[in-house]
Amino acid sequence: MNTFIDTLSMSPLLQGGISQPWLIATANADEAPLILSGVLLTLVVIYLASKLGGELSQLLNLPPVLGELVGGVAIGASALHLLVFAENGTVAADSALMPILQFIGGNLSAESITSIFESQSEIIEILSELGVIILLFEIGLESDLRELTEVGYQAVLVAIVGVVAPFTAGTAGLIFLFHMPTIPAIFAGAALTATSIGITSKVLSELGYLKSKEGQIIVGAAIIDDVLGIIVLAVVASLAKTGEVDVVNVLYLIGSATLFLVGSIFLGRFFNQAFVTIADQLQTRGKLVIPALSFAFIMAFLANAIHLEAILGAFAAGLVLDETDKRKELDQQVIPIADIFVPIFFVTVGAKADLSVLNPAIPENREGLVIAAFLIVVAMIGKLITGWTVVGQPGINRFAIGVGMIPRGEVGLVFAGIGSASGVLDKPLEAAIITMVILTTFVAPPLLRVAFKSGAIAIESPATNN
């Protein structure tokens, strides 16, 4: 277990924590005001990019979340360098905001600037993770536990096929067509299994299809995909590290994930009345939303503590509170909080996408682009076919279900990051995986809109709160 945790320590998303907490703790008193200035300036840039991108997408009749991702790309590593992160190997000199802080701070040493940049970068990372936790809590509140239960077996089947098909086809293709060594091929195949629950659920909510039968299957399958993704990552990380699979660790992850999700939902039935009673007894501001967020954070903490994703705990908390009598009132109170934090997550995802890997003029990218073309085909088809595994649902929009499983988003970037850090991936394969992640993330939102227009009828009005 310790080996696995060490391997994942560079991934804040999977560990739900701070990859280098000492950066903030050791910042001296002189640097603290500049760190705060850097964070505030970065948040202004993020919000501007989020709203400009979202409004432009709205004008083009595209999901606003796509605009937030594009806005992130514009201010991130691919263009303006206003939002870059130390964990991606960038340094203070790469950030376009650091000269402003240098001007404010006067004669700062190179060590001070580095410390300020790394601390500011970590804080934005934490806010981004908080954003996705709140997003999944909100999605849980908007989901219907009874509906999810009804489509449970369908979601399980969609999730399993969505993992097995791209993993098998991707790994086999890389070995037999590109003559790649087995372990790197397995790692790349594992990266194909991911599904971004954050991106998919947000698009479904914006389009007004979250509570449709298709939406519930997609959300349920994406949640299961996250659990399966953790297990697959545990296997390939162990394989990359030692050359063999830690069976005990894999069994632990399967058991803990199952017990956590089933147990939290079961215990939630007893918690609901207590929650309503507590909320009714409180008299000060936030008497409903503060206990609710506290419960969500406790659930996220518990999930993280047993080495699952914190977002699974937040989603489970939302499902539990969805059953209370105060669900509609709570949902309205969570929306403005989500409007503050969630854009940070999506802009950050876009900012981390380095589009330079798509430039064929760079010689080392060319081999990666050929491999990427193969991975993209497998990534698209491997998820699209999942819609046709749904049976016993006449009139269901199978194409929409398949499209909803396509985006890899931040989860795919975690796979690429861990593979690179472990030394398993060479530059062409790493570039190929990143290219696959970028394209599947950006093509899914508009394609999902087209898919739903071609079939199902929305049962709720599209969200306008973006």
Side-chain angles (χ1 to χ4, degrees):
M1 177 60 69
N2 289 335
T3 299
F4 176 52
I5 300 306
D6 290 342
T7 305
L8 297 188
S9 62
M10 55 74 66
S11 167
L13 181 66
L14 284 180
Q15 291 304 299
I18 309 171
S19 58
Q20 292 173 310
W22 53 267
L23 291 176
I24 299 170
T26 59
N28 62 46
D30 293 335
E31 293 172 2
L34 289 176
I35 294 172
L36 177 59
S37 297
V39 170
L40 294 175
L41 196 56
T42 303
L43 287 176
V44 171
V45 171
I46 288 173
Y47 288 134
L48 285 175
S50 166
K51 295 315 295 178
L52 288 174
E55 292 297 322
L56 181 59
S57 287
Q58 191 76 32
L59 288 174
L60 297 174
N61 200 31
L62 294 170
V65 67
L66 180 61
E68 293 181 354
L69 290 168
V70 173
V73 170
I75 65 172
S78 297
L80 300 178
H81 286 250
L82 293 168
L83 181 60
V84 291
F85 295 91
E87 70 159 16
N88 293 341
T90 55
V91 295
D94 297 322
S95 171
L97 294 183
M98 286 303 108
I100 298 175
L101 297 182
Q102 276 185 307
F103 176 78
I104 295 172
N107 295 321
L108 294 172
S109 66
E111 291 78 9
S112 293
I113 283 294
T114 297
S115 176
I116 292 168
F117 169 67
E118 291 175 338
S119 298
Q120 171 257 344
S121 175
E122 286 290 341
I123 293 170
I124 297 300
E125 282 276 12
I126 295 168
L127 292 175
S128 172
E129 292 169 33
L130 186 59
V132 74
I133 286 171
I134 292 173
L135 171 62
L136 265 294
F137 177 58
E138 182 185 26
I139 295 302
L141 284 173
E142 294 179 8
S143 300
D144 190 318
L145 183 57
R146 286 180 290 272
E147 287 285 340
L148 277 176
T149 303
E150 288 178 11
V151 301
Y153 74 97
Q154 302 281 14
V156 170
L157 189 58
V158 168
I160 291 174
V161 173
V163 168
V164 173
F167 175 77
T168 304
T171 303
L174 290 173
I175 292 174
F176 294 110
L177 296 179
F178 294 92
H179 309 292
M180 196 167 289
T182 302
I183 291 180
I186 290 175
F187 214 108
L192 295 170
T193 66
T195 295
S196 174
I197 174 66
I199 291 171
T200 294
S201 57
K202 181 66 172 177
V203 174
L204 287 170
S205 181
E206 288 173 347
L207 296 180
Y209 289 94
L210 186 62
K211 290 189 177 180
S212 66
K213 187 74 72 176
E214 292 89 349
Q216 293 296 283
I217 291 175
I218 292 169
V219 170
I223 286 291
I224 297 167
D225 240 15
D226 258 355
V227 176
L228 294 176
I230 294 171
I231 295 167
V232 170
L233 188 54
V235 172
V236 296
S238 175
L239 192 62
K241 189 78 173 179
T242 65
E244 57 187 29
V245 176
D246 186 345
V247 177
V248 175
N249 185 34
V250 172
L251 292 176
Y252 168 80
L253 288 170
I254 294 172
S256 60
T258 304
L259 286 174
F260 178 80
L261 290 173
V262 175
S264 60
I265 292 171
F266 176 77
L267 292 175
R269 297 180 180 179
F270 301 97
F271 172 77
N272 287 338
Q273 190 56 50
F275 174 80
V276 173
T277 302
I278 292 170
D280 286 339
Q281 292 297 317
L282 298 176
Q283 300 299 318
T284 54
R285 284 179 56 176
K287 64 179 183 178
L288 181 60
V289 72
I290 295 300
L293 285 176
S294 297
F295 176 59
F297 293 157
I298 288 171
M299 293 291 285
F301 164 77
L302 291 175
N304 188 57
I306 60 175
H307 310 306
L308 299 175
E309 289 193 60
I311 59 175
L312 294 179
F315 179 76
L319 283 180
V320 168
L321 296 183
D322 177 63
E323 299 295 299
T324 68
D325 296 334
K326 295 184 178 292
R327 198 276 296 175
K328 289 186 178 179
E329 182 183 353
L330 178 58
D331 197 26
Q332 289 302 312
Q333 293 187 24
V334 169
I335 286 173
I337 299 173
D339 288 343
I340 293 171
F341 286 98
V342 173
I344 301 174
F345 167 68
F346 286 112
V347 172
T348 297
V349 171
K352 290 181 178 179
D354 187 357
L355 299 188
S356 66
V357 300
L358 301 176
N359 184 3
I362 301 174
E364 54 264 32
N365 283 355
R366 294 168 192 165
E367 182 183 353
L369 288 173
V370 174
I371 300 172
F374 167 75
L375 292 182
I376 290 166
V377 171
V378 173
M380 298 281 284
I381 296 176
K383 295 293 186 179
L384 280 175
I385 62 173
T386 61
W388 279 265
T389 64
V390 177
V391 295
Q393 299 285 346
I396 198 83
N397 190 334
R398 291 177 169 81
F399 180 58
I401 292 172
V403 171
M405 300 297 291
I406 285 176
R408 268 56 176 191
E410 73 292 347
V411 184
L413 292 175
V414 167
F415 273 86
I418 292 174
S420 176
S422 66
V424 170
L425 305 179
D426 58 20
K427 286 293 183 182
L429 185 55
E430 182 184 357
I433 294 174
I434 293 174
T435 302
M436 178 274 296
V437 170
I438 291 170
L439 291 186
T440 56
T441 299
F442 283 90
V443 76
L447 195 56
L448 199 54
R449 181 184 288 274
V450 172
F452 274 113
K453 278 186 177 180
S454 69
I457 300 174
I459 63 173
E460 60 175 338
S461 60
T464 58
N465 300 295
N466 197 64

